[in-house]
Every structure is written in C-alpha cells, then in structure tokens.
C-alpha cells in the first residue's frame, strides 16, 4: 500500500514527480488542479465557476468543493493499492477531512526557492492532448509541439506572473502550515526540489523504498 501526499509550493515539481512515481509504482496520480482545469475545459457549471472565481485568480477553491471531489475520486477501484495526491490537501481543514477518508503513509514536501518557482512556472507549457509538462530545463524538441503525441502546447492561465504571485501568497498563508501539521504526525519527508528532475525522483524513491522495507 502506497498512499502518498506531495506537498510544496506551486511549481516545485509535484506534478512532474507524481507522474514518475505513478509509472514506477503503478498507482494513480490524483491532481486536484488537473480535475478543476478539465472541468472548466468541459464547460461544467462547477468547473467554470471554480475557474472564474478561484483558480483563474490564484485563489484556492473552497474546502467543501475540493474535499467532496477527492472523496469521490479515492473511492474508485484504482485507488485500492494506493495513490498519489498532488495538490491536496492544501489547508489544515482539508487535511483534517482527509484523515477521515484515508490513511496516509508518506507526506513528501518538495522545497524550492521563490525565484526558481517563478522561472519554472512562467516558462511551463503543457500538452493540450496528453497533459505532458515541459519547462525551461526540459523543452520540447519542436517548439509548441508535444514530443509524445504531437499535440499542441499551451500556457496555463494561472501561470501568468500576476497570478503566480497570488498563488504564492495563498501557499504561504494556507498551505505552508501543513508542514508543521504533518511534522507532528511523524510521516513528513523533505526533498530539495532545486535539483534535477532525476535527482529529485531518486531521493523520493529512496524514501519510499527504505520505509517500505522497514514496515
Ligand atoms: P495545481 O494544478 O495543483 O497547481 P500548483 O500546486 O500550484 O502546482 P503546479 O501544477 O503549478 O506545479 P507543480 O508543483 O505540480 O510543478 P510541475 O511539476 O508542473 O492547482 C491549480 C489551482 O487549482 C490552485 O491554484 C487552486 O486554485 C486550485 N486547487 C488545486 N487543488 C486545490 C485544493 N486542494 N484546494 C483548493 N484549491 C485547489 O513543474 C513546474 C515546471 O517546472 C514544469 O515546467 C516542469 O517541467 C519544471 N520542473 C519541475 N521539476 C523540475 C526540476 N527538478 N528541475 C527543473 N525543472 C523542473
């Protein structure tokens, strides 16, 4: 059983690492941000409202909406051997609600500096078709085109500098307190997100493997 939370500021590499963990350990990557973006693209009422009022402006979506969504997702069959939560919980209220829904084995906090985050987010591009993420240190072979599926790359609306700054304020105020919250619970591990993608992944795997052997 591998039930993992990836914590950390916007742009620290949660999505990138979640994809790698998901492939290696065969557990689903659940990104609340992706769920909100998909709902907005599909034009559902709640999806459009969440974009216009909250995430499009760099604000967190209210806890009630987010918790319900995660609860429904974790009840699905593919989560029976574990899961990776990317971007959830993001407030102490969400963490308390999660405790009632599922047990968590690892909370991995990926730390990066503000300058690194701004550089990465304002240069990030994503494939419209398959969701693959590209960045300044990992550009596609052909500009604007996905290496994997040939899909068109786009820039997330909340990756514009003004919105990124607001997201960082939300992180400091509402999400950072979760570091202490999980420190007290005793299942928090910290990884330096300033290293290369491969090196960060190697450190995460060491944490997951070592702990698995001990239990
Ligand atoms: P969400 O999609 O979760 O955004 P986020 O947490 O702000 O995280 P990002 O996706 O921006 O970054 P990341 O850490 O995944 O980094 P990535 O791997 O892409 O949420 C979006 C919005 O939805 C929120 O602002 C909020 O409004 C709402 N929301 C979501 N969950 C919510 C919740 N629980 N409650 C309330 N509201 C919620 O990497 C970034 C870039 O850096 C990429 O280009 C990548 O290629 C590059 N990169 C990554 N790692 C490295 C590395 N080691 N070296 C060099 N480049 C790297």
């Amino acid at each position: 059983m591998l039930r993992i939370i990836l914590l950390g500021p916007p742009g620290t590499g949660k999505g990138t690492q979640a994809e790698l963990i998901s492939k290696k350990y065969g557990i689903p990557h659940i990104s609340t941000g992706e769920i909100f973006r998909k709902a907005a693209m599909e034009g559902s009422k709640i999806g459009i409202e969440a974009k216009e009022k909250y995430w499009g402006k760099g604000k967190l979506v209210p806890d009630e909406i987010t918790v319900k969504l995660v609860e429904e997702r974790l009840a699905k069959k593919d989560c029976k051997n574990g899961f990776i939560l990317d971007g959830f919980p993001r407030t102490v209220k969400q963490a308390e609600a999660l405790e009632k829904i599922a047990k968590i084995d690892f909370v991995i906090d990926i730390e990066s500096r503000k300058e690194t985050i701004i550089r990465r987010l304002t240069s990030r591009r994503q494939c419209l078709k398959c969701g693959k993420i590209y960045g300044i240190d990992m550009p596609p072979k052909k500009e604007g085109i996905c290496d994997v599926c040939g899909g068109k790359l786009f820039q997330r609306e909340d990756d514009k500098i003004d919105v990124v700054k607001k997201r960082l304020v939300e992180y400091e105020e509402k999400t950072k307190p979760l570091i202490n919250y999980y420190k007290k619970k005793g299942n928090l591990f910290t990884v330096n997100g300033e290293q290369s993608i491969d090196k960060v992944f190697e450190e995460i795997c060491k944490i997951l493997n070592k702990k698995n052997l001990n239990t």
Side-chain angles (χ1 to χ4, degrees):
M1 222 9 179
L2 265 183
R3 292 157 297 196
I4 306 166
I5 290 173
L6 292 184
L7 263 190
T12 196
K14 301 183 296 295
T16 303
Q17 295 300 326
E19 275 305 302
L20 296 170
I21 300 169
S22 172
K23 264 190 207 138
K24 177 165 173 149
Y25 295 95
I27 48 174
H29 166 198
I30 300 169
S31 156
T32 37
E34 266 319 310
I35 297 174
F36 289 132
R37 282 187 289 282
K38 193 163 173 261
M41 269 188 205
E42 288 169 353
S44 74
K45 192 171 170 259
I46 202 166
I48 291 171
E49 200 179 301
K51 180 180 174 184
E52 285 176 354
K53 285 197 186 160
Y54 307 109
W55 67 261
K57 294 186 170 158
K59 290 187 195 157
L60 293 188
V61 177
D63 292 334
E64 310 78 73
I65 300 177
T66 317
V67 169
K68 190 165 175 275
L69 198 142
V70 171
E71 188 167 14
E72 282 169 11
R73 181 63 188 87
L74 291 181
K76 295 204 169 151
K77 255 196 195 156
D78 63 340
C79 294
K80 71 175 189 328
N81 293 324
F83 48 80
I84 309 148
L85 286 173
D86 158 14
F88 183 92
R90 252 181 157 99
T91 63
V92 170
K93 263 198 169 166
Q94 290 181 14
E96 287 167 353
L98 178 64
E99 267 177 44
K100 293 182 190 139
I101 305 169
K103 195 181 167 295
I104 298 298
D105 306 298
F106 300 94
V107 180
I108 299 178
D109 178 38
I110 309 176
E111 290 187 341
S112 297
R113 287 174 304 147
K114 205 170 160 187
E115 307 84 81
T116 309
I117 289 167
I118 291 177
R119 189 176 70 92
R120 285 183 187 168
L121 287 185
T122 50
S123 67
R124 171 169 59 186
R125 297 293 181 272
Q126 196 169 357
C127 176
L128 207 52
K129 225 162 124 189
C130 73
K132 174 139 178 77
I133 299 167
Y134 296 89
I136 200 159
D137 299 325
M138 221 185 44
K141 291 191 187 103
K142 200 170 159 198
E143 209 191 316
I145 305 291
C146 178
D147 293 348
V148 179
C149 73
K152 217 173 143 189
L153 304 187
F154 74 102
Q155 181 178 31
R156 270 172 49 176
E157 283 181 45
D158 58 344
D159 278 351
K160 309 250 161 78
I161 186 69
D162 290 355
V163 187
V164 167
K165 285 183 181 163
K166 286 183 191 145
R167 287 162 64 194
L168 283 167
V169 172
E170 285 282 83
Y171 169 77
E172 287 292 326
E173 283 176 6
K174 297 175 182 162
T175 310
K176 211 170 174 186
L178 287 179
I179 296 177
N180 266 334
Y181 180 92
Y182 285 112
K183 221 179 241 170
K184 284 184 198 150
K185 303 257 170 213
N187 55 356
L188 182 85
F189 299 84
T190 305
V191 172
N192 174 8
E194 297 276 335
Q195 311 171 90
S196 71
I197 292 173
D198 289 349
K199 190 81 188 79
V200 176
F201 185 52
E202 198 184 304
E203 278 197 17
I204 292 177
C205 291
K206 261 190 209 156
I207 294 168
L208 300 179
N209 296 342
K210 208 158 123 195
K211 191 83 201 299
N212 264 346
L213 289 176
N214 292 342
T215 51

